[in-house]
Amino acid sequence: MADPFVWLNLGAALALFALGLYALVAREGLLRVLLGLEIMGKGATLSLLSAGHALGDLGRAQAMVIVVIAIETVVVAIALALLVRVERVAGRLDVRGIRRLTG
Amino acid sequence: MIAEPLAVLTIFVPIVGAGAVAASGRASARVRSGIAIGVAITTAALSLLTLTVLRDHPTRIGIWIPAMGVPFDLRVDALGGFVAAIAGSVGALVVVYSRAYMREAAREGYSMARYDALVLLFIGAMVGLALADSLLAFYIFWELIGLCSFALIAFYHRDPNARRAGLKAFAVTRIGDIGLLVAVVALWSQGIVTFSGLEAAGLPADVRTLAALGVLLAAVGKSAQVPLHVWLPDAMEAPTPVSALIHAATLVNAGVYLLARTAPAFGDLGWWPASLLWIGAASAVLGAVAALAETDLKRVLAYSTISQLGFMVAAVGAGAILASQFHLLSQAIFKALLFLAAGAAIQAAGTRDVFRMRGVGRGMPITSAAFLVGIAAMVGLPFANGFWSKDLLLGAVIEGGHLGAFLLLIVATLLTVGYGWRTFNLVFRGTARTPDARDPDPSMAVVLVVLAAAALTSGFLIGPYSEALARSMPLRGIEPLPLWDAFLVTLRWPTAIVSLAVIALSAALAARPGWSRSVRPRDGSVLAGAVGSGFGFDAAYVAFARRIGAAARAVRRTQTGDLNVNAIGLVAAVVVLLAAILLEGLG
């Protein structure tokens, strides 16, 4: 566990995750929120790879990461399609535009 | 070894036929209707053939979920076999009748493919329910008939009342369905997955109580007993053949059948038979009172069904499975007859109000005669089928020593005579308001004649019926009851007095049709108000629903609709979960 490379990677993953989380909870532009979500995902994949390296099972980690990337692509595609609809229906592209579920 | 394929065919021929009819939606009406009638008659033949191969033990058809030990068992004994035969044969008559009856609805643009498919699915599901031994299969068929009844009650979907009635039936019976689910899961937790297993097992007291309560709730909901009877009168918005199907061949029988099926397991609980006795007796009286005051012909028959089902539920409570199930058969036949005859009369008169239908029978002798036979069977005039089953039932209740319930049932019996003759006198006798009313299409008239013949004769089958029941269910302690012995039962003193009273009252009412017109609750009277509002049950349910709505509105305030806030909630939940996992790992 003393491998500095692993620590560096985990630190970077944490930073990416925190950055994405900030965008997710604090930004109002929907594109930024989506980007935040994606950055969080990148942090998670990076930590997966680091864990694989540390445990000496990089192959399995890479296999998982490939799957994650494939799924993220689908998520982004659907999310962007939704955003286009939001823009058309609400006329704006921020979280205030989709508050119809308010109680 | 012919029983199993026969039973499987009886279940799946109508279900597959329903799919075929639904798929033939674009084909010509003649082809579709031909398929529907063919499938229905095949089902009827198969279900009647099944009666010749009854056996006293369940058979495993297959295993659904091997890992969890969930089998698909069938049990072709007399109890389920006759319920299935009723569903198949009365169902086929309803399908034949519908062809001419529903012509007008088809012209108005309602989909007859959907109608026929739903009716066939309904019949198939009911046959499956009657023959299933596996609790899970039973539960699935139970839900299927609930779904079909919902869709068929709301069939005239352009009428908001029909939509509302369909939803009401679905929502109210759902309360009972939850009871059944609870019972099935409770029994599953003890490794019991079939009715046969339930009969044999010794259960822990708490599981048994839970299961008994669930079964009771399920039956009260499906068989429209007090206090869950409120959906049945409203379900009269359905097309009349569907009402006949629901009231006679399928839906409402399921509850009573479930009670009879589980009675050996729960019969010695004390509170279980006692509640059945009182719920049944109360429903019998309440339904009869409402039927006497109601002015809508179909709602009179609906309340009468609640009342008749009350008799059967009370009989199960008294331990008289034979009498209860025999009355179920009688009711199925005479109630189908009454509904289908009423349907012809309603189409001829163009209204359902019994006061405005007056004299519709003048030009329709076959329909009048059929309705008269139905009334005679319902009130229990000798020797129509209702006479035999009602006397057996009353005799069994008094022999069980349940004096209170017996008195209530006698009151209900006499009220039945009252509303039966009132309905007949009002609708079919007197000077005609619609002189051009004529008997319906020959295909409908034939169905009425067949049912009338069955109503007059099926009571004489008590001998073979009781013997089949005794032979295929040896553990139930049911004795064969030859016709002559059954006749002697009707001559014993409390029941004989009741029969005499029924005959005397019938003669008096038949001789004086004027009396019927006088029984009309005035607007604003207590009785009219009570019947009009469903004895206050509806109001209570609406008040309860309002409370739930208010609670929902209060909780809704926590929903901001803000994406960022939702994201924070999501992250917080993940953090809490992770913390829990970590703590679990450390501890």
Side-chain angles (χ1 to χ4, degrees):
Chain A
M1 279 301 274
D3 192 341
F5 176 70
V6 172
W7 286 113
L8 189 69
N9 261 345
L10 281 179
L14 195 64
L16 278 174
F17 193 85
L19 189 68
L21 188 60
Y22 168 73
L24 183 66
V25 302
R27 301 310 263 173
E28 299 204 338
L30 281 176
L31 256 173
R32 284 165 201 253
V33 169
L34 179 60
L35 282 175
L37 199 64
E38 286 307 305
I39 292 174
M40 282 173 78
K42 295 301 167 286
T45 32
L46 188 55
S47 67
L48 264 180
L49 283 176
S50 320
H53 176 80
L55 298 175
D57 196 359
L58 200 54
R60 182 180 302 199
Q62 280 171 337
M64 289 163 84
V65 166
I66 293 284
V67 174
V68 171
I69 288 171
I71 293 173
E72 268 185 345
T73 316
V74 178
V75 170
V76 169
I78 293 174
L80 285 175
L82 286 175
L83 289 196
V84 171
R85 287 298 299 162
V86 168
E87 159 86 270
R88 288 213 184 127
V89 172
R92 54 200 290 188
L93 205 49
D94 62 19
V95 294
R96 307 260 169 255
I98 47 168
R99 293 193 62 178
R100 299 256 303 275
L101 281 178
T102 187
Chain B
M1 281 292 114
I2 189 81
E4 292 76 30
L6 208 51
V8 171
L9 274 180
T10 320
I11 298 172
F12 289 102
V13 161
I15 292 180
V16 172
V21 167
S24 75
R26 306 237 172 252
S28 77
R30 190 177 290 269
V31 171
R32 193 212 60 245
S33 157
I35 298 177
I37 291 178
V39 168
I41 289 179
T42 313
T43 309
L46 287 169
S47 68
L48 291 173
L49 270 179
T50 310
L51 291 182
T52 61
V53 290
L54 299 177
R55 47 188 56 205
D56 59 3
H57 54 82
T59 31
R60 177 145 306 173
I61 303 301
I63 298 217
W64 268 350
I65 313 173
M68 296 165 84
V70 178
F72 179 53
D73 289 3
L74 292 181
R75 181 162 172 167
V76 192
D77 60 13
L79 192 61
F82 277 92
V83 173
I86 278 289
S89 47
V90 177
L93 292 174
V94 166
V95 172
V96 172
Y97 179 96
S98 298
R99 190 185 63 87
Y101 186 90
M102 297 301 287
R103 242 174 233 153
E104 200 165 323
R107 262 200 297 277
E108 287 170 18
Y110 287 105
S111 159
M112 291 314 292
R114 187 167 42 143
Y115 177 86
D116 283 335
L118 282 169
V119 167
L120 288 178
L121 182 63
F122 206 156
I123 296 170
M126 187 65 198
V127 171
L129 180 142
L131 297 180
D133 192 38
S134 301
L135 294 173
L136 188 63
F138 182 86
Y139 180 74
I140 290 171
F141 287 127
W142 179 277
E143 292 287 13
L144 261 182
I145 60 172
L147 176 71
C148 292
S149 64
F150 156 74
L152 283 170
I153 289 168
F155 181 73
Y156 293 134
H157 53 80
R158 282 176 219 144
D159 177 1
N161 282 335
R163 297 200 298 267
R164 201 176 306 130
L167 271 180
K168 186 174 178 182
F170 195 66
V172 174
T173 53
R174 191 112 293 264
I175 298 172
D177 299 346
I178 291 170
L180 183 63
L181 184 62
V182 166
V184 168
V185 171
L187 293 173
W188 202 343
S189 74
Q190 298 300 310
I192 294 171
V193 289
T194 60
F195 283 117
S196 317
L198 172 62
E199 279 169 40
L203 286 171
D206 51 345
V207 173
R208 205 153 79 112
T209 308
L210 196 61
L213 201 62
V215 163
L216 178 70
L217 194 63
V220 166
K222 217 61 152 186
S223 286
Q225 296 296 289
V226 175
L228 294 181
H229 63 285
V230 291
W231 63 271
L232 196 64
D234 287 15
M236 292 301 103
E237 299 298 335
T240 304
V242 169
S243 302
L245 193 66
I246 290 177
H247 285 245
T250 54
L251 189 70
V252 297
N253 292 346
V256 177
Y257 166 74
L258 173 65
L259 292 176
R261 182 57 92 193
T262 52
F266 305 132
D268 56 342
L269 271 175
W271 61 267
W272 196 75
S275 7
L276 290 187
L277 210 55
W278 289 111
I279 289 175
S283 304
V285 173
L286 203 85
V289 169
L292 194 56
E294 188 58 66
T295 57
D296 176 319
L297 175 54
K298 285 184 73 183
R299 288 175 69 97
V300 170
L301 295 178
Y303 277 117
S304 139
T305 303
I306 294 176
S307 176
Q308 297 297 325
L309 289 165
F311 278 87
M312 300 171 209
V313 169
V316 176
I321 304 293
L322 171 63
S324 151
Q325 294 300 300
F326 197 55
H327 197 54
L328 188 151
L329 296 191
S330 300
Q331 210 267 157
I333 293 169
F334 70 65
K335 194 51 66 66
L337 174 61
L338 285 172
F339 263 115
L340 296 181
I346 288 168
Q347 269 197 341
T351 174
R352 281 160 37 183
D353 186 322
V354 289
F355 287 98
R356 289 171 51 205
M357 289 177 78
R358 185 199 300 171
V360 76
R362 284 293 154 113
M364 35 194 343
I366 300 179
T367 312
S368 314
F371 199 86
L372 184 60
V373 168
I375 292 290
M378 183 173 74
V379 304
L381 287 180
F383 292 90
N385 59 10
F387 165 76
W388 299 98
S389 55
K390 195 172 282 188
D391 272 19
L392 278 184
L393 200 156
L394 290 174
V397 171
I398 189 65
E399 262 171 41
H402 311 289
L403 190 62
F406 178 70
L407 292 177
L408 280 178
L409 290 180
I410 290 193
V411 171
T413 305
L414 297 178
L415 285 170
T416 305
V417 181
Y419 74 74
W421 283 102
R422 169 179 178 264
T423 313
F424 180 74
N425 287 342
L426 280 176
V427 174
F428 289 94
R429 298 174 75 178
T431 44
R433 290 201 168 185
T434 43
D436 55 342
R438 289 289 170 270
D439 268 321
D441 190 271
S443 67
M444 288 159 74
V446 164
V447 169
L448 295 182
V449 171
V450 169
L451 279 170
L456 286 175
T457 52
S458 81
F460 293 99
L461 298 177
I462 177 67
Y465 178 69
S466 58
E467 205 200 315
L469 220 51
R471 193 154 31 84
S472 66
M473 291 186 296
L475 302 176
R476 298 299 189 88
I478 292 173
E479 301 284 330
L481 185 70
L483 185 61
W484 180 247
D485 291 357
F487 184 58
L488 292 181
V489 169
T490 65
L491 292 183
R492 266 188 232 143
W493 81 265
T495 42
I497 302 281
V498 176
S499 294
L500 285 179
V502 164
I503 295 169
L505 198 55
S506 294
L509 292 177
R512 273 204 252 139
W515 166 83
S516 304
R517 279 190 279 288
S518 68
V519 185
R520 176 176 204 169
R522 270 173 285 285
D523 291 338
S525 72
V526 177
L527 187 61
V531 172
S533 65
F535 295 94
F537 285 102
D538 275 332
Y541 291 134
V542 168
F544 181 65
R546 289 240 169 84
R547 286 279 168 80
I548 299 213
R553 274 190 293 283
V555 173
R556 219 172 69 178
R557 300 225 177 87
T558 61
Q559 176 60 266
T560 62
D562 191 311
L563 185 62
N564 298 134
V565 175
N566 289 352
I568 291 173
L570 189 77
V571 171
V574 171
V575 168
V576 168
L577 272 178
L578 277 179
I581 292 171
L582 276 179
L583 284 177
E584 180 86 18
L586 292 178

